[in-house]
Amino acid sequence: MSQGDIEVRIAGLAVHPVKSCAGIALEEALLVETGLEFDRAWMVVDEAGRFVSQRELPRLALVKPTLRQLDMILRAPGMLALHIALDTVEAPVRVTVWDDEVAAYDMGNLAAQWFSDFLGRKLRLVRFDPEHRRLSSRRWTGPFEAENAFSDGFPLLVASTAGLAELNRRLAAAGHAPVTMQRFRPNLVLDGLDAHGEDHLDEIRFDAPEGPVRLKLVKPCSRCSIPDVDPATAETGHAVGDTLAGYRADARLDGAITFGMNAIVLEGIECALRTGMSGQASFRFE
């Protein structure tokens, strides 16, 4: 560990296979070109092929995936389980996520009917086409090309246990109940940092058994209304957003409210990250 580095530890790993649906906590996750394997590989779209999220459909939070060797099982209140084969897709389609039109595959009428019935709108489920290269903004990644599936714009999201503890301290002081990290949907949660210490990191390095891993933190994650959706009930509120607004306005994003840092993979494709794994983080000097 060089001078100025800090030791960090992976306290949590999570993937969200279907964009804006519930996540899965993992003990081990494989790094691929687009982030963690299966993260945001599927997405729910409307009749125009545009993505939908908890911003307009909070009940997406109640759709809970389970990944198995050959399939993904989706469960939701009042619904029979939906099985999605990992090795099967149907017709190629074009879909839109934010400002990007990307290649994808429709997952068939049964999946479409399942989501439409549960959410009360005509919807379809699609899977990202791995041959399509959707890149993060070079404004933030500089010389590096960072591929994404259906994430908002970057392969990985990193947060810290201390950042959540600080938010919960402020929520308690205002008379609100504590919240879990699920509200913020990160891929990596780190121990060993001060509150929101991830804001100031440049790179994180892990020595995985398969080889070295280098992650570069490139952009603060601006926050919308999703952290105010209770992942257990899909009920919406304002306490989280209002509390963050009191201390998390970020000058790097013209005053937007931020929590966590978006990251890209510099090295370590096909390496596995594991909870409890220790690494070294370097600070960014601007």
Side-chain angles (χ1 to χ4, degrees), residues 45-77:
V45 298
D46 63 16
E47 292 183 281
R50 181 165 185 81
F51 85 107
V52 296
S53 76
Q54 290 182 35
R55 296 166 186 84
E56 64 267 31
L57 294 173
R59 277 166 56 82
L60 279 166
L62 302 180
V63 176
K64 299 188 184 305
T66 302
L67 286 170
R68 303 194 304 183
Q69 186 173 2
L70 300 177
D71 64 0
M72 173 176 65
I73 305 174
L74 299 177
R75 295 181 173 88

Side-chain angles (χ1 to χ4, degrees), residues 121-149:
R121 281 180 53 182
K122 284 205 167 187
L123 300 167
R124 299 196 73 85
L125 182 67
V126 298
R127 184 168 183 176
F128 189 80
D129 181 349
E131 298 299 315
H132 185 95
R133 294 187 83 235
R134 178 178 174 239
L135 300 179
S136 298
S137 168
R138 295 293 281 271
R139 174 189 171 192
W140 297 98
T141 66
F144 305 108
E145 288 192 345
E147 294 187 45
N148 302 275

Side-chain angles (χ1 to χ4, degrees), residues 151-226:
S151 63
D152 278 351
F154 295 87
L156 296 166
L157 179 61
V158 178
S160 63
T161 55
L164 181 68
E166 174 61 17
L167 169 62
N168 279 328
R169 184 187 70 78
R170 290 170 179 262
L171 285 169
H176 301 298
V179 298
T180 67
M181 191 63 87
Q182 290 172 284
R183 298 211 181 205
F184 297 96
R185 307 171 68 76
N187 300 113
L188 276 74
V189 181
L190 299 178
D191 277 340
L193 297 170
D194 295 335
H196 304 291
E198 65 272 20
D199 289 356
H200 311 293
L201 299 183
D202 179 29
E203 286 189 23
I204 309 171
R205 301 179 300 281
F206 299 101
D207 290 320
E210 304 85 357
V213 173
R214 291 170 58 217
L215 309 178
K216 186 173 180 65
L217 284 71
V218 295
K219 179 182 181 289
C221 183
S222 59
R223 291 298 172 171
C224 59
S225 59
I226 289 180

